[in-house]
Amino acid sequence: MLQVEHLTRRYGPVTAVDDLSFEISEVGVYGFLGPNGAGKSTTMNIMTGCLSATAGTVKISGYDIYDQPREAKRRIGYLPEQPSLYLGETPEEYLRFVGEAKGLRGETLRQQMEAVIEETGIGEMRSRRIDALSKGYRQRVGIAQALLGQPELVILDEPTVGLDPLQILDIRALIAALGKTRTVFISSHILSEVQTMCSKILIIARGKLVAFDTPERLEEQLSSPGEITVAADTGADAARALVAELPGAASVTVSEEGAGSCRLTVTAGGDDLYALSREIFRAFAASGSTLSELRVKKATLEDIFLELTEGGESA
Amino acid sequence: MKAIFTHELRSSFRSLSAWVFASFLLCFVGIGAMMYNIQAAVSNFEYVLSLSCLAFVVIAPILTMRVLAEERRQRTDQLLYALPVSTTEVILGKYAALLVLYLVPLAIIAVYPLIFARFGEVYLPTSYGSLFAFFLLGAALLAVGVFISSLTDNQGLAAGIGIAVILFNYYSVSLSEYMSSSALGSVIALVAISCAVGLLLKLLTGNGTLGYWTGFGLSAASIALYNLDREALEGLLPEIMGTLSLFERFYVFVNGVFDLKAVVFYLSVIAFFLFLSVQSLEKRRYN
């Protein structure tokens, strides 16, 4: 479906995309994560033929985006970060133009226009000028044009940016539905959004791919699976002694919180944080100390993102 | 290409530029016909066209200013890059739409000689030969306008540059009389043109080294020619200005000569500026 090999893009002395390689061959929603300026939009622009690469290749269903652009682009639907809309036209006029440019004619064009209008829920707005539509509807019109021609690969650059919470939920539901039948490649810097929608995540930092896996497996790869916070009515030394003896505890940090009470942060040595939390509870109960708080904090996608993008390690 | 063509045609009518262009052209030709053919009772319709070609200074930039500048301003050029159409098709589609918009008022104007022929002696071959040249002149100026529009995202700036370029071309023969015909004057002009070519190359390719070296190389060649053979450069500047005038070649048709060389010249100018427009679009993909 999508093959990116050794993709590099330089702007003078700055390397925006640095030897990027990955392959996507199944349908689903793929998240493209990275901090601002990591090279997400540049990569997407190269993948859609809007920008040239300094080196490397992009193939869509086996067709090279530069050597066979017409064949490759027929298989792509693209929504740029700022939707490319002719504001003086109605969604219907706009979709007709995009459909015709994609080679659709007559009844096929009419049917596909109706299908994407239905799919993106812009039926009521089809005859209004685009400049009179809300940002959410404009985004939907942009997605509708990307779906014309039944592309195998739909590339959406920050599809929910600037939308209100309700519109975000709508667009997320739409993308999740699209991902059931097509390969949808979305970029975002909203981690929760990617976690809820995507079956696989690509993380890019400083133009390099640093991770490409499912959210669950990325969590497993994290050096620290999480930590347990404990607040107890006992002395700091006694609390440390109780927890340090437990086999699952890798490290313990204790701070005194007034007379006869303390707070501990326990890092787990193994994967099962909940087993360690039960052990901590039993240890304090057996010693007769009162626990006022016992909280398990698992590693989130945010931790993974920070560890990978700040560490800059290679996938 | 058909999609780009029909879309451009619709957009031009929606943005009023097509209406303004057509009404200005019809107005100019109408006033000319009234003055020459009706009031002065002159039977030569080609004189009307000769007078009306000054209108191109304003109306050609009006029609072409938004063609590519507006795409860049609205960022819809990104859509065009991502669609399965080539940049050549984009330029040809848009240019074909402009030609159709130009042909509509021209089709109305083409009836005038026939109407006047009912009331007197009108030499139709010269009238229609001049009308054909008038079409080619306008088509060449539209190609220049398309290229200027590809250089900026500001429609006003595109129109301003377009007016200045066409006005300079319109008066180039008159101005050439004031230009130095000495070898030194010619070499200075050649160096200036070389620098302009270098800057244009830099603008189109985004490659400063290529642009500066081309400008430098051409300038050095001009200076070398000046040192080797000064006689060859004498009178060259006025000759260049006369040769590059699009309007001057039109007047040959008005004088009753169907000049095939001029036809080839107009077609070459069209091809050259459309090629530059394609390169200008391609350059954005590379920068």
Side-chain angles (χ1 to χ4, degrees), chain A residues 1 12 14 20-21 61 72 80 92 105 119 126 139 172 246 260-261 279-280 297 302 304 307 310:
Chain A
M1 186 87 70
V14 179
L20 192 68
S21 296
S61 300
E92 206 164 55
R105 295 285 183 275
E119 206 168 0
R126 62 194 299 164
Q139 203 77 348
R172 279 184 194 168
L246 300 173
S261 68
E279 290 298 320
I280 292 170
K297 183 176 173 284
E302 192 173 357
I304 300 163
E307 184 172 305
E310 288 180 359

Side-chain angles (χ1 to χ4, degrees), chain B residues 72-148:
Chain B
R72 275 176 76 171
R73 194 187 64 79
Q74 287 198 87
R75 289 178 175 256
T76 42
D77 55 342
Q78 213 165 5
L79 173 72
L80 298 179
Y81 287 127
L83 287 172
V85 286
S86 66
T87 43
T88 307
E89 285 174 306
V90 170
I91 294 294
L92 289 180
K94 282 176 175 286
Y95 184 68
L98 293 180
L99 284 187
V100 168
L101 293 171
Y102 177 34
L103 279 169
V104 172
L106 224 53
I108 298 169
I109 291 167
V111 184
Y112 293 1
L114 294 176
I115 295 171
F116 296 137
R118 288 174 62 95
F119 302 99
E121 286 282 317
V122 177
Y123 191 56
L124 293 176
T126 309
S127 297
Y128 284 102
S130 299
L131 194 63
F132 176 67
F134 191 75
F135 166 71
L136 286 178
L137 169 66
L141 293 172
L142 291 179
V144 174
V146 168
F147 170 62
I148 292 169

Side-chain angles (χ1 to χ4, degrees), chain A residues 132-174:
Chain A
L133 300 183
S134 69
K135 195 157 186 189
Y137 270 109
R138 288 187 192 186
Q139 203 77 348
R140 283 168 180 268
V141 174
I143 295 175
Q145 67 79 16
L147 298 180
L148 277 172
Q150 298 176 328
E152 295 156 35
L153 175 65
V154 179
I155 298 173
L156 310 173
D157 193 357
E158 309 253 6
T160 58
V161 75
L163 301 183
D164 68 37
L166 272 178
Q167 290 170 335
I168 289 175
L169 290 176
D170 279 355
I171 297 289
R172 279 184 194 168
L174 175 61

Side-chain angles (χ1 to χ4, degrees), chain B residues 192-202 211 214-215 218:
Chain B
I193 291 169
S194 304
C195 293
V197 168
L199 282 175
L200 188 66
L201 260 180
K202 179 183 178 286
T214 305
L218 290 173

Side-chain angles (χ1 to χ4, degrees), chain B residues 177-256:
Chain B
E177 289 169 15
Y178 300 99
M179 292 292 155
S180 167
S181 59
S182 69
L184 182 66
S186 296
V187 79
I188 291 170
L190 281 177
V191 169
I193 291 169
S194 304
C195 293
V197 168
L199 282 175
L200 188 66
L201 260 180
K202 179 183 178 286
L203 202 66
L204 287 175
T205 61
N207 188 337
T209 315
L210 176 70
Y212 296 136
W213 277 106
T214 305
F216 177 75
L218 290 173
S219 301
S222 306
I223 294 166
L225 184 65
Y226 174 73
N227 287 322
L228 292 172
D229 186 6
R230 289 187 189 192
E231 273 182 28
L233 290 172
E234 274 171 19
L236 190 65
L237 179 57
E239 201 180 317
I240 289 173
M241 289 178 74
T243 307
L244 292 180
S245 171
L246 290 162
F247 292 90
E248 199 58 23
R249 290 171 192 264
F250 168 66
Y251 299 136
V252 177
F253 288 84
V254 173
N255 291 332

